[in-house]
Amino acid sequence: MANIENQKFIALDISEKNYLSWVLEVKLHLSAKILRHTIDEDNAASNEERATALIFLRHHIDDDLKYEYLIIENPLELWQNLNDRFEHLKAVVLPKALNDWSQLRFQDSKTVSEYNSTLFKIVS
């Protein structure tokens, strides 16, 4: 199935690799489109806003995830289901990144570019 509109950023991968960065991108884009409230609890979004947000979310997830969550018609419900599925990554990835950050020393690198590469890996 061909996408009519180009994706604004990389779609959420079913392998969980890019969930944390995907969440940030979605929140930013929904805020820019004045649709961020559609994924918040107790929102009073109109049907048109919910439909627009749902289309945006589905457009930016992997095809296998689309089929898995095909029957969901509320962006908040989709957001919460994805959050329940992938939220454990914060408990795994963040402590490791914080540990790597605290252990990072410039003198352990042979070159500045090697240090930069290590630094960017931790940040990402």
Side-chain angles (χ1 to χ4, degrees):
M1 178 159 94
N3 289 332
I4 296 172
E5 180 184 332
N6 289 335
Q7 290 182 336
K8 308 291 186 203
F9 50 90
I10 297 173
L12 175 60
D13 190 16
I14 198 165
S15 68
E16 306 178 350
K17 289 183 209 173
N18 64 337
Y19 175 72
L20 297 175
S21 61
W22 180 84
V23 166
L24 295 173
E25 291 287 346
V26 167
K27 286 181 178 179
L28 285 172
H29 279 81
L30 288 177
S31 293
K33 293 176 178 256
I34 312 171
L35 294 171
R36 171 79 185 265
H37 64 282
T38 60
I39 59 170
D40 293 334
E41 291 283 338
D42 300 326
N43 67 65
S46 69
N47 288 337
E48 293 82 18
E49 290 173 327
R50 286 188 183 126
T52 304
L54 189 60
I55 290 167
F56 181 81
L57 288 173
R58 285 190 176 158
H59 187 71
H60 289 89
I61 61 176
D62 188 75
D63 285 339
D64 293 332
L65 287 171
K66 281 181 198 175
Y67 296 127
E68 189 171 332
Y69 298 109
L70 190 62
I71 61 171
I72 295 176
E73 297 180 359
N74 185 345
L76 174 60
E77 187 180 347
L78 177 59
W79 182 259
Q80 288 172 336
N81 285 343
L82 292 172
N83 188 38
D84 291 345
R85 179 178 182 147
F86 297 115
E87 187 66 20
H88 70 280
L89 291 176
K90 285 184 182 175
V92 174
V93 175
L94 187 58
K96 182 184 181 325
L98 290 173
N99 182 49
D100 290 348
W101 179 259
S102 68
Q103 304 274 328
L104 181 66
R105 297 185 317 169
F106 185 74
Q107 62 199 30
D108 292 339
S109 304
K110 294 179 183 174
T111 63
V112 172
S113 63
E114 181 182 329
Y115 175 80
N116 274 346
S117 176
T118 305
L119 176 70
F120 289 126
K121 283 180 186 176
I122 294 171
V123 170
S124 68

